[in-house]
Amino acid sequence: MKSFMDADNKTIGKEVEAQFTLLISAINQSNAEAWQEYYSKEFFLSAIVNTDQYATRSAWVDTITKYFSMRDGQQVEPFDVHVTALTPDLAFLTSQERCEMWPKDGKNVKLKHVFSMLWKKEQDGWKILHSHESWVEE
């Protein structure tokens, strides 16, 4: 077990963090089509935003697509990302981000944002099985 944690944890951490970086890029582009590709189609469990829970991938994708359409733009900047390999094909990610959103109503919003995510290595690469995000205005 120790050899898995020592050798593979770093490799898995780098792989998952690279996928997370691409996910953040899709978010910053308000690209719901690209964003949703990081969520598992086969093994999706759930997503939680503050206290709202989404039990199906389609409900989650519909919600985020709607959120993105309500904004002129957004910028998410991770500043603290941690990945822990649980098994060779399962990893847990936590992160903190500075976030700024520009809703179409013209009000600029600055937030401190956090994610916790469970990732699984699938045939197509690392995908999110479950995510939870919360934020507070700064």
Side-chain angles (χ1 to χ4, degrees), residues 95-108:
S95 65
Q96 295 184 67
E97 297 83 27
R98 287 178 200 83
C99 183
E100 193 165 358
M101 292 183 204
W102 300 277
K104 291 189 176 183
D105 68 7
K107 296 180 182 175
N108 184 14

Side-chain angles (χ1 to χ4, degrees), residues 5-25:
M5 295 305 272
D6 291 345
D8 295 338
N9 196 25
K10 286 183 183 178
T11 300
I12 291 169
K14 287 179 184 178
E15 291 173 359
V16 171
E17 193 165 345
Q19 289 302 107
F20 180 69
T21 298
L22 294 171
L23 171 76
I24 295 297
S25 178

Side-chain angles (χ1 to χ4, degrees), residues 1 8 14 35 39 45 48 54 61 97 102 106-107 119 126 129:
M1 185 68 152
D8 295 338
K14 287 179 184 178
W35 163 88
Y39 280 83
L45 297 172
I48 298 172
Y54 301 89
V61 168
E97 297 83 27
W102 300 277
K107 296 180 182 175
W119 292 74
W126 288 96
L129 304 181

Side-chain angles (χ1 to χ4, degrees), residues 76-87:
V76 177
E77 296 177 19
F79 65 87
D80 189 23
V81 179
H82 298 277
V83 178
T84 302
L86 303 173
T87 68

Side-chain angles (χ1 to χ4, degrees), residues 34-49:
W35 163 88
Q36 69 175 302
E37 292 303 314
Y38 296 94
Y39 280 83
S40 177
K41 292 177 182 165
E42 187 176 354
F43 299 107
F44 180 87
L45 297 172
S46 62
I48 298 172
V49 176

Side-chain angles (χ1 to χ4, degrees), residues 90-128:
L90 203 59
F92 183 68
L93 177 144
T94 59
S95 65
Q96 295 184 67
E97 297 83 27
R98 287 178 200 83
C99 183
E100 193 165 358
M101 292 183 204
W102 300 277
K104 291 189 176 183
D105 68 7
K107 296 180 182 175
N108 184 14
V109 181
K110 290 185 179 185
L111 310 163
K112 178 182 177 186
H113 183 274
V114 296
F115 275 120
S116 59
M117 299 174 153
L118 184 61
W119 292 74
K120 179 175 177 46
K121 190 168 192 176
E122 298 180 0
Q123 189 169 0
D124 293 345
W126 288 96
K127 303 293 180 180
I128 302 163

